[in-house]
Structure formats: C-alpha cells, structure tokens
Amino acid sequence: MRGRVTLLAAAIGSAVILAFLVPLALLLRTLAEDRAVAAATSQSQILLAVAQTEQGTAAIERQVSTLVGVKPAAIVSLYMPGGVIVGPRVDDPGVEQARRQNRSWTRRGEPTVVYTVSVAGNPAPLVARAEISEAQLHQGVGRALAIVGLLGLALLVVAVVAAHLTARRITAPLHALAVAADQMRDGPLDSAVPEEGPKEVVAVAAALNRLAERVRQLVASERDAVADLSHRLRTPVTALRLDTEFVDDPDVAERLRAHVTQLERTVDAIVHDARRPSRSGQMTAASSDVGKVVGERVSFWSALAEDQGRPLRLALPDRPLRARLSTNDLADVVDVLIDNVFAHTEEGTPVEIWVVPRADGAVVLTVEDAGPGLPSIDIIERGKSNAGSTGLGLDIVRRAAVASGGSLELGRSRLGGALVRLVLGRADD
C-alpha cells in the first residue's frame, strides 16, 4: 500500500509539474527572442544616431566599428543614401522596403532580421539592418530550462518523500494492527491494539480490542464451566474408588483401581487444562519422550489385551525421540488410539504399535489392527469440517498432532484393518 501511494503521488506530481513546466519553457523562449530583438533594435538606433551626427563615411565607419565591437547583439549593417553601406554588405530587399515605407519592422525566421529606420519624414532616411542568429536569439534559454527542470525535479522529489511519509503514517498503524492480531491468534488475548493513526484505523483497532475482550470473556466463561464440570466428576470417581475396596477378587479389584486411577488422572488433566491461560501455547512449548510414554501406556493396556486374547505387539526406538507435545497430552492420545481399537474390533484381534523417527526430525506413531477397518474417510473428513465428532476419538488425536506441528493420516493397514499414523513435530532443543 505504501508503494502504491508513493507511486500515485509521483504520477500526480509529474503531471502537475509538466503542466507548469511546458508553458514556462515556451514563455522563456518567447522572452529570450523578444530580448534579443530589443537589444538589436537598441544597437541599431545608437548607430543611426551616431551616423546622423558624424560627417564623412570614414568617421561613421570608425564610430560604427567602435560601437559594434563593444558587445555585439547582432550583425549590423548601416545603409546610407547614395548606396553607401557601412558594415557587412548584404543585398536584402527588406532594406528598400523599410526605406520606401519609412518604418521599422522585424522579419522572423532563420536568421531573424530587424530593420530600423531613422527619423520618420526624412526624404533620405538611414536604415540599419541587424541580423540575429539562432544562437543569439535563444541565448540563455538552455540554462534557464535546465534550472527550471532541476527545480521541477526537486519539487517532484519533495512530493514523493512527502507522499512516502504520509503513506507510512497511514500504513504503520495498520501494520501494528496486523501484528497485534497475530499475537492474539498465537498467544494470549490480553495484548491490546494501539488505537492511533487515521480515524478509520482507530475505529478498526477499537473494534478489534472489543472483540478480543469479548473472546476473553467467552474463554474465561468456558474455562470456568469446564473446571466446574471437572470438579463435579471428582465425587463419583471417589465413590468408585471406595467401591473397589469391597471387591473380593484381588485381580479384579486391582484392575478396577487402575482404571479409577486413570480416570482420576484424566479428570485432573481436564482441570489443569481448564485453568491454563492458553492451551495451544503451552502444548507447543512442552515436550515428551514418545517411546517412553507409548511404552508406559501400552503396558497399562496390556492387561486388558491379555484378558481378551488380543496379540499386542510393540516396537520402540532404542534412543529417546522427543516430540513437541506434553507427556499428559501424548498419553491421552495413545489412550484414545488404543481404546479406539479395543472398542471397535472383536476380542482376539491383533494390534501393532510402533514408533519410528523421520528424516526431518519428526516422530511417527503408528497404530494398526486386523479389524474391519475405518469407516469411509469421507465421513471422517465431513465430521472434521463440520466441527463435529467422528465417533472414533480422532478429533482429539488430530488436534494434538496439529498443535505439535504434525498431522494425522488414516488408511488401511497391512493387517487388513485400520491404520492410524500420527506425525508429531520435533521438540525444540
């Protein structure tokens, strides 16, 4: 925008300056011509006055040569009665015309000639012929035009600089507005947009500040509601833990206590997330060892897999692979993926989970099974675009992958069932 405003000012300034310079150049040319003609006429009149006061041709020639040699404005010839010519001899019918009409006149052309007649009424008037060359006629015009051109160029530069400063004054608040909007998108919502600049920009900044305040209120209200709901869940969870104490079978009791512990951990994570000022910012800043977290969660689910007769194979890297995702968030993702397999496949269906690094530093977590496979990918994508749930918990997984700088890929596994490949962004060093 700044460049366009500057270019527009340069175009308008150039048009205005040219509109003044062209007539001014023509006026300077005309004034130079009039000045040269006036100088030649004045010189001719002086020669005529000398010729009328001196006696004898030699004396007149001496006076004429002295006057002409001082500062010649033109080539002057003096035509006297009896055909006597003092100065350069030029056969010019204009001399006879001036003598016959007994008047002075000027012939424009190349060269320009000025005919000056002595006192009117004299029966044998003297005629002075002054020839002005093209260089003498327009002497000083080139220099004057150069000065005027430089002045016009200086005015154009001033106009462009003024337009640039004005455009910067207009665009600087817009740039600050865009920066503040990006900060609100990427981080906390408490950064206010400076309300300065033109009144239109001030109006937009004020509207954005009001919008940010409204969003802060809505986010705070939603966070309070989630926190309140999470706290309400603590009561039935606590009751479930107490009920596990009355189970006679030690294995079943231990399994129930493990599930209740996992449920409590999930509720605590919800409360923790609800109290965080910006979930996306903290998720990006956190990191976790993918192999370690996946190993812990698979170990937790292995007991249920053993009860169902479900082969559960796990392949982990021999070195730590850190992803840009917190440990709790990654554990939730792994639980969702494994629970999805257990909930939508028959007992005894094999499951394979493996973690591998990628060349660009990302970490790939893949979960495969030999079940019936995923529903139509089109249905899942429609659920995503409509901000609805796919029914498979993949919304949580997708959000976590995107927050880490990765992606979620779905397809058919080599076992014949569903394949869920989660690409996690590399954690910053």
Side-chain angles (χ1 to χ4, degrees):
M1 179 179 179
R2 185 183 305 177
R4 293 182 179 180
V5 173
T6 304
L7 183 61
L8 178 62
I12 296 177
S14 300
V16 173
I17 291 174
L18 286 177
F20 279 99
L21 287 184
V22 172
L24 183 58
L26 296 176
L27 177 61
L28 290 175
R29 183 183 178 90
T30 302
L31 290 176
E33 293 176 355
D34 293 342
R35 181 188 59 196
V37 171
T41 303
S42 176
Q43 187 172 356
S44 298
Q45 291 175 348
I46 293 175
L47 294 178
L48 289 174
V50 170
Q52 290 176 341
T53 57
E54 293 292 340
Q55 298 295 327
T57 304
I60 295 175
E61 288 179 353
R62 186 171 57 254
Q63 294 293 335
V64 169
S65 62
T66 302
L67 291 173
V68 173
V70 175
K71 188 178 180 182
I75 301 175
V76 182
S77 299
L78 182 60
Y79 293 79
M80 303 178 64
V84 178
I85 301 176
V86 178
R89 179 179 294 273
V90 180
D91 295 332
D92 189 349
V95 175
E96 293 301 324
Q97 179 182 350
R99 180 176 288 142
R100 185 174 56 255
Q101 296 178 358
N102 201 14
R103 70 178 182 87
S104 303
W105 67 289
T106 302
R107 186 184 68 195
R108 300 283 181 172
E110 294 184 6
T112 298
V113 181
V114 178
Y115 303 96
T116 305
V117 181
S118 61
V119 180
N122 193 330
L126 304 178
V127 178
R129 179 186 182 275
E131 180 178 319
I132 309 173
S133 65
E134 187 69 19
Q136 293 172 328
L137 188 66
H138 299 118
Q139 185 177 6
V141 175
R143 180 182 178 185
L145 290 179
I147 295 175
V148 172
L150 291 176
L151 179 60
L153 182 61
L155 292 176
L156 180 61
V157 171
V158 171
V160 170
V161 171
H164 180 75
L165 295 177
T166 303
R168 186 172 64 179
R169 181 178 178 272
I170 296 174
T171 56
L174 292 176
H175 179 70
L177 187 65
V179 171
D182 288 337
Q183 291 177 351
M184 291 181 182
R185 179 198 64 185
D186 299 333
L189 296 173
D190 54 357
S191 58
V193 180
E195 299 180 9
E196 56 185 15
K199 61 180 181 180
E200 293 82 3
V201 179
V202 172
V204 175
L208 185 59
N209 287 332
R210 292 194 297 270
L211 176 61
E213 179 61 28
R214 179 56 178 165
V215 172
R216 284 195 294 269
Q217 293 176 358
L218 293 176
V219 170
S221 177
E222 181 182 2
R223 188 181 299 121
D224 293 340
V226 173
D228 181 67
L229 178 61
S230 302
H231 281 292
R232 291 183 181 182
L233 290 175
R234 291 183 182 276
T235 299
V237 170
T238 303
L240 286 175
R241 177 172 292 278
L242 294 176
D243 290 341
T244 58
E245 303 296 334
F246 299 98
V247 177
D248 297 332
D249 191 337
D251 295 336
V252 175
E254 182 63 26
R255 189 183 310 159
L256 289 177
R257 280 193 291 270
H259 287 306
V260 172
T261 301
Q262 174 64 19
L263 182 60
E264 287 180 339
R265 189 181 65 83
T266 303
V267 172
D268 290 339
I270 294 175
V271 174
H272 178 67
D273 290 345
R275 290 176 176 175
R276 284 192 295 189
S278 175
R279 176 177 173 84
S280 60
Q282 293 197 18
M283 182 181 294
T284 302
S287 66
S288 59
D289 185 347
V290 180
K292 179 180 178 181
V293 175
V294 172
E296 292 176 353
R297 300 317 304 157
V298 171
S299 176
F300 171 80
W301 287 91
S302 60
L304 180 59
E306 183 178 354
D307 288 345
Q308 295 183 358
R310 187 187 300 271
L312 180 60
R313 290 184 285 272
L314 175 65
L316 297 177
D318 55 359
R319 61 184 177 88
L321 298 178
R322 302 199 67 82
R324 193 165 54 219
L325 200 65
S326 68
T327 300
N328 290 337
D329 291 326
L330 180 57
D332 292 340
V333 168
V334 176
D335 287 340
V336 167
L337 294 178
I338 298 178
D339 180 70
N340 185 53
V341 174
F342 278 52
H344 295 86
T345 60
E346 297 291 337
E347 294 186 3
T349 302
V351 183
E352 291 188 2
I353 302 173
W354 39 285
V355 178
V356 295
R358 208 166 65 173
D360 59 356
V363 183
V364 180
L365 167 62
T366 304
V367 177
E368 299 183 78
D369 63 65
L374 293 170
S376 174
I377 301 299
D378 295 335
I379 297 176
I380 297 177
E381 292 298 326
R382 282 200 301 271
K384 171 188 173 184
S385 62
N386 295 331
S389 174
T390 62
L392 301 174
L394 296 180
D395 298 330
I396 299 174
V397 178
R398 180 183 289 110
R399 286 195 297 268
V402 173
S404 70
S407 61
L408 175 66
E409 302 174 9
L410 307 175
R412 175 72 62 176
S413 74
R414 56 185 176 82
L415 301 178
L419 180 145
V420 180
R421 180 176 290 113
L422 185 65
V423 180
L424 302 174
R426 180 181 62 182
D428 296 332
D429 295 336

